[in-house]
Amino acid sequence: MRALPVDLRQKVLNREEHWVKLGKELASRLGDRDKERQLRNIQSVAESSACWEAVEVFIRYQAARKQLRLEWAKWAVDKLGALEQEARGLLDRPDDDAVRRLHLDLVARTLGYAVRWYVTREAERKAGTAAPSARAGQGAAPAAGQNRPQEGRR
């Protein structure tokens, strides 16, 4: 990620929960299996690009190649593109260059959280478990063999 001035870094960190939640939404809406590499590729483009448009066209390109669902790509472009306004709001004196750099930082940061959420979800799916927040209030019965503690597990 790009180096941010200390005061701006603190403003971003104060909103960290927002980026984490958006990353979770990106991961959960992706829905497809085996898309970790796609998320990492998008994150890499965001970290290395000089403009949002490069990230946007990469996402659209991957959807055109059927590596991502078109609906998800459009939704993700809208959500990640909207981070530009959030970047503008975090800056005391928003000039175009500062907004562009912060926007890309927020995009890369959010995608980093999306990767983490996606990997976590896939690991839980493969293990046949779900995160406590995903199970809360759903009243689902435990999977066979999961209603009693297993030896060596606490």
Side-chain angles (χ1 to χ4, degrees):
M1 286 195 220
R2 293 152 178 84
L4 300 174
V6 175
D7 61 325
L8 184 55
R9 186 175 335 133
Q10 189 57 49
K11 287 180 182 180
V12 169
L13 290 175
N14 288 343
R15 303 264 344 258
E16 198 76 13
E17 185 176 353
H18 174 66
W19 323 130
V20 172
K21 286 179 180 180
L22 181 54
K24 184 176 187 178
E25 192 173 4
L26 284 165
S28 67
R29 284 184 177 239
L30 184 57
D32 299 334
R33 294 181 180 167
D34 302 321
K35 295 298 180 191
E36 176 186 353
R37 184 82 253 143
Q38 290 301 316
L39 284 173
R40 288 190 186 278
N41 289 344
I42 298 166
Q43 180 187 17
S44 177
V45 169
E47 289 174 342
S48 63
S49 294
C51 65
W52 159 247
E53 291 77 11
V55 180
E56 178 182 7
V57 75
F58 182 76
I59 294 170
R60 292 180 187 277
Y61 168 73
Q62 292 301 86
R65 293 181 56 231
K66 307 219 183 297
Q67 299 299 306
L68 296 168
R69 286 181 302 112
L70 184 59
E71 300 80 23
W72 182 88
K74 288 179 179 178
W75 179 84
V77 163
D78 287 344
K79 287 294 186 179
L80 295 171
L83 293 177
E84 180 179 357
Q85 290 306 313
E86 295 189 41
R88 191 173 301 283
L90 288 171
L91 293 164
D92 293 328
R93 287 178 274 188
D95 63 76
D96 289 344
D97 188 52
V99 170
R100 178 185 51 74
R101 283 182 284 132
L102 182 55
H103 179 211
L104 287 171
D105 180 83
L106 296 179
V107 168
R109 180 180 300 271
T110 301
L111 287 164
Y113 288 119
V115 169
R116 292 177 191 124
W117 280 116
Y118 184 85
V119 169
T120 300
R121 186 189 74 199
E122 285 298 290
E124 290 168 348
R125 181 188 59 76
K126 288 175 183 171
T129 62
S133 62
R135 290 191 311 250
Q138 292 183 358
Q146 291 188 0
N147 55 349
R148 57 181 158 41
Q150 296 178 356
E151 190 173 305
R153 291 181 79 188
R154 294 177 186 212

